[in-house]
Amino acid sequence: GIAAAPGAACHKDHTQPSHVLAAMKVDLELARSTVRFSLGYGTTTDDLDFVVEELKRAVSGAEKRTAAA
């Protein structure tokens, strides 16, 4: 499976966008819509390929639902 979150686990109750994105001057609306993925030493290329393919499917599905609305 895939684990993702809107921010760092150490700030799970924090509702503001990442201070890193703010420092990068990312637009507030865009910063609020980001998703964080954490990688570790055990993360493989196959893991990343899996996430990319699942994200493609999720985005495609969202685009189809938006177009149908």
Side-chain angles (χ1 to χ4, degrees):
I2 300 168
C10 59
H11 295 290
K12 66 180 179 130
D13 296 324
H14 192 76
T15 59
Q16 295 300 315
S18 161
H19 70 280
V20 173
L21 297 177
M24 294 170 57
K25 308 249 188 270
V26 172
D27 177 74
L28 183 59
E29 184 176 338
L30 179 60
R32 286 185 174 151
S33 65
T34 60
V35 178
R36 177 186 176 114
F37 293 90
S38 295
L39 309 177
Y41 288 110
T43 304
T44 65
T45 302
D46 287 342
D47 294 332
L48 297 175
D49 290 342
F50 175 75
V51 170
V52 168
E53 291 307 313
E54 290 300 309
L55 284 172
K56 286 179 184 178
R57 284 192 332 156
V59 168
S60 176
E63 289 173 338
K64 289 175 185 173
R65 286 190 301 277
T66 300

